[in-house]
Amino acid sequence: MLRIEAAEIIVVRLPLKFRFETSFGVQTEKVVPLLVLHGGGLQGLSEGTMEFAPMYREETIAGGLHLLKDVFLPRILGKTFANPEDLEAALGGFRGNKMARAMVEMAAWDLWARMLDVPLGTLLGGRKTEVEVGVSLGIQADEAATVDVVRRHVEQGYRRIKLKIKPGWDIQPVRATREAFPDIRLTVDANSAYTLADTGRLRALDEFGLTYIEQPLAWDDLIDHATLQARLTTPLCLDESITTAQDARKGLALGAGGVINVKVARVGGHAEARRVHDISQAFGAPVWCGGMLESGVGRAHNIHLSTLPNFTLPGDTSSASRYWATDVINEPLEAVDGLMPVPTGPGIGVTLNREFVASIAELHEERTA
């Protein structure tokens, strides 16, 4: 049985090692909410992926912390659950706020796997000991800088290069990259920056042999994606539009895309992520694990999820040292030749660097029943 005895809410701020620009804007640091659930002398860890402002989805850090403290944790502290899916049901009456709910659910999965003394990936149904990873590259100053940063990551062995694009910065960097690297697996990510009025510009990307174009249209739209997909030869990959397994079913049935980016927090946790994986597999649509600039806690969760069989495209779980001078965990998460080893040991296989976390914590609250 899974008894939740206590919880810790921790917020840290980590400076990025590089300037990361997308169609949303420029990011130079990451505020990371962490949750620790205690039970049976063990700890389950998770990380929130909501942002300061509602740019990616509608959730924010402030709203997520409020829900954790005042709504979600009071419903589970001091209570016993049969398993993490039982705990997920205890939060099922609340609408939306998937990322905040995922913090509780993911920490519970980690705690449960540690109690059973098995790796989380094994508990979810995965079998891989390493997963293919790619890299997501932000918008650069010019085409030459784009080719240069792509070259560095190709030389490091990453199995897929993803370029962030936006209107006015799309065909040029993609053409320059493809001319310099005719054989690499190349994708682009628009983060909802386009409309159907940009169909001609998006159709022009067909000539570059992209594996997919990720989320070109509105974050809450499937119909226009289906219209656009019918006009392109390049598969569309759905990201922000998919928050449930039913969204995945509807999107694939409509022909709104042929690939799904699974972000475990975006869909509310591991149980729903596994359902998205299963439905996509039934449609013959490959999935891959997206990233949200996670620290080592969220990155470890993503790696374990990626061990499921339909994760057949490289994910965004590149080496942690790309992002942080010092991570919040003790164990290194480093890819070798584009392959990320799955952390061994029970649960997500990593532990908090308590000394470092304490030195940078902007918030640390403990809760008991």
Side-chain angles (χ1 to χ4, degrees), residues 153-232:
H153 290 89
V154 169
E155 290 172 350
Q156 291 170 25
Y158 284 106
R159 305 293 177 96
R160 180 222 64 198
I161 299 295
K162 181 170 78 174
L163 302 178
K164 295 288 187 176
I165 62 171
K166 63 181 180 179
W169 183 251
D170 39 37
I171 297 172
Q172 314 95 302
V174 175
R175 176 181 287 115
T177 300
R178 180 53 84 200
E179 290 176 351
F181 304 96
D183 300 322
I184 64 170
R185 181 181 278 157
L186 183 62
T187 72
V188 296
D189 183 8
N191 290 116
S192 305
Y194 296 83
T195 70
L196 283 178
D198 300 303
T199 296
R201 196 158 190 87
L202 294 167
R203 187 185 287 134
L205 295 173
D206 278 340
E207 69 176 279
F208 300 117
L210 303 177
T211 305
Y212 51 78
I213 299 170
E214 187 177 350
Q215 196 70 36
L217 307 180
W219 63 276
D220 57 352
D221 180 86
L222 291 175
I223 301 300
D224 280 359
H225 276 96
T227 300
L228 178 63
Q229 181 67 93
R231 299 173 180 175
L232 303 181

Side-chain angles (χ1 to χ4, degrees), residues 285-344:
V287 301
W288 57 277
C289 187
M292 293 286 288
L293 300 179
E294 287 95 341
S295 77
V297 171
R299 194 169 303 273
H301 274 280
N302 290 345
I303 294 167
H304 279 276
L305 178 66
S306 299
T307 63
L308 273 66
N310 197 40
F311 283 90
T312 57
L313 295 175
D316 279 343
T317 47
S318 50
S319 295
S321 60
R322 285 192 63 238
Y323 301 93
W324 323 116
T326 305
D327 204 346
V328 301
I329 60 172
N330 294 302
E331 298 78 8
L333 297 177
E334 300 297 308
V336 178
D337 193 27
L339 292 171
M340 176 67 75
V342 179
T344 57

Side-chain angles (χ1 to χ4, degrees), residues 243-267:
T243 62
T244 66
Q246 291 307 311
D247 289 339
R249 178 187 62 79
K250 293 171 185 176
L252 293 170
L254 285 169
V259 180
I260 302 290
N261 170 352
V262 182
K263 290 179 178 169
V264 59
R266 190 192 70 231
V267 301

Side-chain angles (χ1 to χ4, degrees), residues 22 25 29 46 57 130 177 218 249 292 344 348 368:
T22 72
E29 63 179 11
S46 70
R57 287 284 311 186
E130 56 187 9
T177 300
R249 178 187 62 79
M292 293 286 288
T344 57
I348 59 174
T368 56

Side-chain angles (χ1 to χ4, degrees), residues 44 56 236:
Y56 172 77
L236 297 183

